[in-house]
Amino acid sequence: MVALSKPPIEQFFVKPPTKPNTTPLIFPSIPLIDLSKPESKHQLVKACQDFGFFKVVNHGVPKKFINKLESEAVKFFSSPLSVKEKSGPPYPFGYGNKSIGRNGDVGWVEYLLLNAKSDSDYERYLSGFQENPEIFQGVVNDYVTAVKKMACEILELLADEMNLQPRNVFSKLLMDEESDSVFRVNHYPPCPEFQENERNGRKLVGFGEHTDPQIISVLRSNNTSGLEISLRDGSWMSVPADSDSFFINVGDSLQVMTNGRFKSVKHRVVANSKKSRVSMIYFGGPPLSEKIAPLTSLMQGEEDSLYKEFTWFEYKKSAFNSRLSDNRLGLFEKIVAS
């Protein structure tokens, strides 16, 4: 594939700890949940509480939709930079290269950020597709429709296990016509000049550490590793690549709606010197006017709300104006008197 243009490579490094921990780390296993099994409800809730992250199989998304979209994405990212840039810059949708947001975050990544609504006008930000851009839009629509259905099923299974009524209390926000959901395709090109640094324990930042602000994120990537999640002790755990399964992230908004019972996991992507990585992420978000607050039906006894009520527009604007690694929910947490 065509490599990204080359800024000073040092700005993409994550340096190893100055005093490496000599104690062997024992990493937990990523929760694996079979959505076709009755026990999946309990497993989903436990994974959201313990990890905020899990892997699902028997997800119902047709393999042909996955393969076709990845093929089209690879074709696009293999185009010359001058062609891809016709689909940018991303304001907010379109093609982006290295720059992530408007606050100085950078990564060894190029991407397409798209509106997840099937009736969106893709004409401007698909101009980089020289032949039949409408084919790509159709492929994206098929994939996003299937993935959204799966995300809603997961949210309804969570509601069932938590005895929430109605059972679509979460999923209705994604199904709403005004749902502010987005779809992102990332490409992390190989970086041969980084090879010596890899041997010295340094890591190449593809996408810096962050949490996802929406309700739920559904990720699928090719067979190249790179995704890492932050554990409770602050260590980073590499997630083994699996192109046949989907990985699910709890978003900040779902953490708030469950009053902190579910955890929005901090994660990042590291690139490498030899392999290209392509990932596709559906971010399920509520309507802009939706008020986000802990569900009263979840509050037990005299349990206090940990968060101030806010609209999704307010939180999205705040997140957009922050750095990736910032604690975005910090501004909306209630200070409990001791």
Side-chain angles (χ1 to χ4, degrees):
M1 291 186 183
V2 176
L4 299 182
S5 55
K6 298 178 181 179
I9 191 70
E10 290 80 9
Q11 66 181 305
F12 300 108
F13 286 159
V14 173
K15 296 180 180 179
T18 53
K19 293 182 179 180
N21 186 356
T22 56
T23 304
L25 293 175
I26 301 175
F27 290 122
S29 298
I30 301 294
L32 172 61
I33 300 173
D34 185 338
L35 294 180
S36 68
K37 302 291 186 181
E39 61 268 23
S40 64
K41 294 180 184 181
H42 174 73
Q43 293 171 345
L44 286 168
V45 169
K46 182 170 174 49
C48 289
Q49 292 173 337
D50 295 348
F51 268 87
F53 180 85
F54 52 92
K55 180 166 71 171
V56 296
V57 295
N58 285 325
H59 43 69
V61 180
K63 185 72 173 177
K64 63 180 181 180
F65 290 173
I66 298 171
N67 292 343
K68 184 62 175 174
L69 180 53
E70 182 176 300
S71 174
E72 290 293 326
V74 168
K75 188 187 304 182
F76 173 78
F77 289 122
S78 297
S79 303
L81 183 60
S82 59
V83 173
K84 290 181 286 192
E85 286 180 335
K86 293 178 181 178
S87 294
Y91 290 132
F93 302 115
Y95 172 77
N97 183 341
K98 298 182 297 298
S99 178
I100 302 170
R102 60 183 185 182
N103 298 299
D105 290 298
V106 294
W108 195 255
V109 62
E110 57 180 344
Y111 59 89
L112 273 174
L113 185 62
L114 306 172
N115 191 320
K117 293 180 181 178
S118 60
D119 59 352
S120 298
D121 181 7
Y122 280 22
E123 184 174 348
R124 182 191 72 80
Y125 44 89
L126 290 186
S127 56
F129 289 81
Q130 294 175 304
E131 297 180 4
N132 303 320
E134 66 278 3
I135 292 178
F136 182 75
Q137 179 162 5
V139 170
V140 169
N141 287 344
D142 287 343
Y143 179 88
V144 168
T145 298
V147 167
K148 181 169 75 170
K149 179 181 177 182
M150 182 253 289
C152 289
E153 177 188 353
I154 289 171
L155 291 172
E156 289 173 5
L157 289 171
L158 289 169
D160 284 345
E161 180 65 15
M162 299 173 78
N163 297 314
L164 297 176
Q165 294 293 333
R167 74 185 300 261
N168 69 342
V169 62
F170 302 128
S171 64
K172 67 181 181 181
L173 303 178
L174 274 59
M175 296 304 296
D176 193 293
E177 289 184 358
E178 299 302 318
S179 169
D180 185 43
S181 299
V182 296
F183 180 63
R184 186 180 189 108
V185 186
N186 289 330
H187 172 228
Y188 304 92
C191 184
E193 60 264 44
F194 184 68
Q195 196 163 357
E196 185 62 34
N197 288 282
E198 275 184 320
R199 286 194 284 266
N200 294 331
R202 302 176 90 183
K203 293 186 176 183
L204 180 67
V205 177
F207 209 106
E209 61 183 78
H210 64 285
T211 59
D212 295 338
Q214 290 88 355
I215 295 171
I216 191 171
S217 306
V218 182
L219 164 72
R220 185 263 170 199
S221 65
N222 62 358
N223 271 323
T224 303
S225 61
L227 178 63
E228 297 183 346
I229 61 172
S230 178
L231 302 179
R232 299 288 172 85
D233 63 3
S235 61
W236 287 95
M237 174 183 176
S238 179
V239 178
D242 184 344
S243 61
D244 294 322
S245 304
F246 283 91
F247 293 95
I248 311 297
N249 284 356
V250 169
D252 294 342
S253 296
L254 189 56
Q255 177 172 319
V256 171
M257 294 178 75
T258 60
N259 206 35
R261 288 171 174 79
F262 294 172
K263 304 299 181 185
S264 178
V265 66
K266 183 168 284 191
H267 54 286
R268 69 185 184 188
V269 175
V270 294
N272 65 53
S273 61
K274 297 178 181 178
K275 290 186 175 181
S276 173
R277 183 174 186 269
V278 174
S279 63
M280 307 179 291
I281 314 101
Y282 166 76
F283 299 96
L288 290 172
S289 61
E290 185 69 28
K291 293 181 179 179
I292 307 297
L295 298 175
T296 55
S297 55
L298 272 180
M299 307 294 274
Q300 299 175 350
E302 296 184 2
E303 179 180 346
D304 289 325
S305 169
L306 300 178
Y307 305 96
K308 307 169 188 174
E309 182 179 89
F310 53 85
T311 65
W312 169 238
F313 174 79
E314 290 170 333
Y315 190 58
K316 180 180 179 180
K317 181 179 179 181
S318 175
F320 188 69
N321 289 323
S322 68
R323 297 294 298 268
L324 274 178
S325 60
D326 289 348
N327 175 16
R328 294 162 169 168
L329 277 178
L331 295 174
F332 299 89
E333 292 173 352
K334 286 186 175 179
I335 300 175
V336 180
S338 57

